[in-house]
Amino acid sequence: MSTAPAFNEVIHSPVRLRICGVLRRGAELEFAVLRDTLGLSDANLSKNLRVLSDAGFVTVRKESSPDRSDARRLTWVTLTPDGRRAVEAHLAALAQIAAG
C-alpha cells in the first residue's frame, strides 16, 4: 500500500527532513549518533527535535547511561508511527513535484 502524497511544512525544513531521513531507517538512535551523522550542533539538533516532537513525529526518551557515574543521561530518538506516515507522505509529495 502506497502513501498518498501530502506536503508537510514541519518536515520540509532541510534539517528536519535530514533528521527524518536518518530515522526512517527504523532504528532508535542516540542523540550523539544522530548529531554526528548529520554534522549538527547540540543546540540545532535539540531545537529541531523539539519541533518534530511537538508535532507528534518523534519520540525523545532519556535513560541513565551504564557507562557514566554522573547524573547525565542518554537521549534516544525515534520516529512515531504518525511521524513515519508523515515522512512517507511528504517524500511521496516531493516525488510528485519532481515528476512534474
Side-chain angles (χ1 to χ4, degrees):
M1 180 176 157
S2 64
T3 302
F7 192 88
N8 189 296
E9 291 286 341
V10 172
I11 293 171
H12 192 65
S13 155
V15 170
R16 291 190 291 274
L17 184 58
R18 291 175 57 218
I19 291 168
C20 291
V22 171
L23 292 175
R24 95 184 253 260
R25 296 180 187 141
E28 182 179 48
L29 291 178
E30 201 271 319
F31 182 93
V33 171
L34 188 57
R35 176 199 63 211
D36 294 348
T37 298
L38 297 173
L40 299 172
S41 68
D42 286 355
N44 195 1
L45 180 55
S46 291
K47 179 182 88 168
N48 283 284
L49 287 176
R50 174 161 306 226
V51 172
L52 290 167
S53 178
D54 288 349
F57 294 157
V58 299
T59 298
V60 178
R61 174 178 72 81
K62 295 187 182 277
E63 71 176 25
S64 298
S65 171
D67 299 327
R68 299 193 67 92
S69 59
D70 59 19
R72 284 193 271 175
R73 299 181 295 165
L74 295 175
T75 301
W76 294 90
V77 183
T78 190
L79 279 176
T80 64
D82 284 345
R84 190 166 303 286
R85 283 188 290 276
V87 169
E88 295 306 323
H90 185 71
L91 293 175
L94 293 177
Q96 193 175 54
I97 291 167

